[in-house]
Amino acid sequence: CHRVALMHEGRILKTGTPAEVREGLGLSRLEVRGPDLPAVETVLSGHQGIADVQRFGDRLDVMVRDVAAGERAVREAMAAAGRRLESVRAGAPTLENAFVSILQSLQGEQHVPPFPGARHEASSPGAIAIGARGLGKSFGAFHAVSDVNLEVRPGEVYGLLGANGAGKTTTIKMLCGLLEPSVGEVELAGERGTLRSEAVRQQVGYMSQRFSLYDDLTIDENLDFFAGVYQVEPARREERKRWVLDFAGLAGRGGQLTGSLPGGWKQRVAFGAAIMHEPRVLFLDEPTSGVDPIARRAFWAMINRLADAGTAVLVTTHYLEEAEQCNRLGFMVGGELVAEGTPSGVKAAQGGRVLEVRVDDSPRAMALLKSEMEHWRVSLFGDRIHVIVDGDSAETRRRLSARLEREGLHVRGITDEDYSLEDVFILIVARNGRAKGTRTAA
Ligand code: ATP
């Protein structure tokens, strides 16, 4: 956007260009990498001189007032805790950093209440919680999903990624027994074939993308309905319902009509309803769409807690920063699972390198680069351009800069960047989409 405005409780708090809002924060961002990030996060949270810490897959974003003092504080805190630090790199705060920081200063961090009566049973090692072999679905002559093979184990968070219409929802519906596959086999919570039995249903939670709650029931009535369907023990129902309301930030408002809630609040209740019975297998189809960044953090804290307790989670999302939090990712293109791996693994598998170009007239620079390179190599990220190149980066940087300057474009800088998952997503979709040809929605 040219300008953004941040609203809170009916008032506009800040307006400005994205850069002004980011800079107005008065904070810098340090990207911290190293092993054992959850422990590092604990060491750094609440440390003096550190305003906020957030985990993004293989890195922590640490917000500090002053880069040099902040970096010193990070290094000292890590040394004192005996933790190895791989790298610390300063970067500009993102708009998400600004949003989270401003809202946190107004309303505090959203804490996730402890789940009442949480189970602590180990799952059998080597078990498959969700399995698919040669799975496919056709609607008439249209192949929505073809030959999908995947396995998700207890305690694993698996992210299924893909463009709109790639076949993610259709796959999830087959995996959880809601849609009959045209071909292939599904294994769910130790069962094959009879996926609709009560025994299986009690072990599975599903938050669907579109329908999640009945608008014309109150929140309490919706929760009663889900507790009944999922067969939550009667003795536990009230405390679990209270937990969902607490988690959603709606304590004491169970009598409110669900349809009167803003979208993001409805998602919070729907998420709570899907996990009320502590499922061993959880399907979340775009659970955080329309949910603000602070609540998204709470969702992921809860997803991680469930996984730590042995639940297998299969989640879809279009927010790639949050996909970094998955243990494993699968990329779907045109109904097929075309790539799989850990977030770092899929980045490493891409080859080449990413150059980030900052130039005064990025739309014109984009048009020029796209006309001279394969399209998938060039993408726009806000006011920056990412170019995927092969070979020596110093030489390529010089050539790229000279080419843009020759067209009268002022280059403010070209730097080597690590692949983001967004780069990887665009690459995989573009490469495989070309190979398969574009398909239209059925
Ligand atoms: P999104 O990111 O938009 O949710 P998706 O990856 O979940 O997309 P699906 O909803 O699985 O994609 O859809 C895959 C394809 O199958 C789409 O082209 C869709 O139009 C088609 N499709 C899904 N359900 C049906 C149906 N019942 N009848 C005909 N076509 C369908």
Side-chain angles (χ1 to χ4, degrees), residues 22 52 136 166 273 372 379:
R22 288 197 301 257
D52 184 43
E372 298 185 352
S379 22

Side-chain angles (χ1 to χ4, degrees), residues 30 47 50 69 174 183 212 240 303 333 437 442:
L30 297 178
H47 196 275
I50 292 173
M174 288 192 281
V183 57
S212 40
R240 293 279 167 95
I303 291 172
V333 179

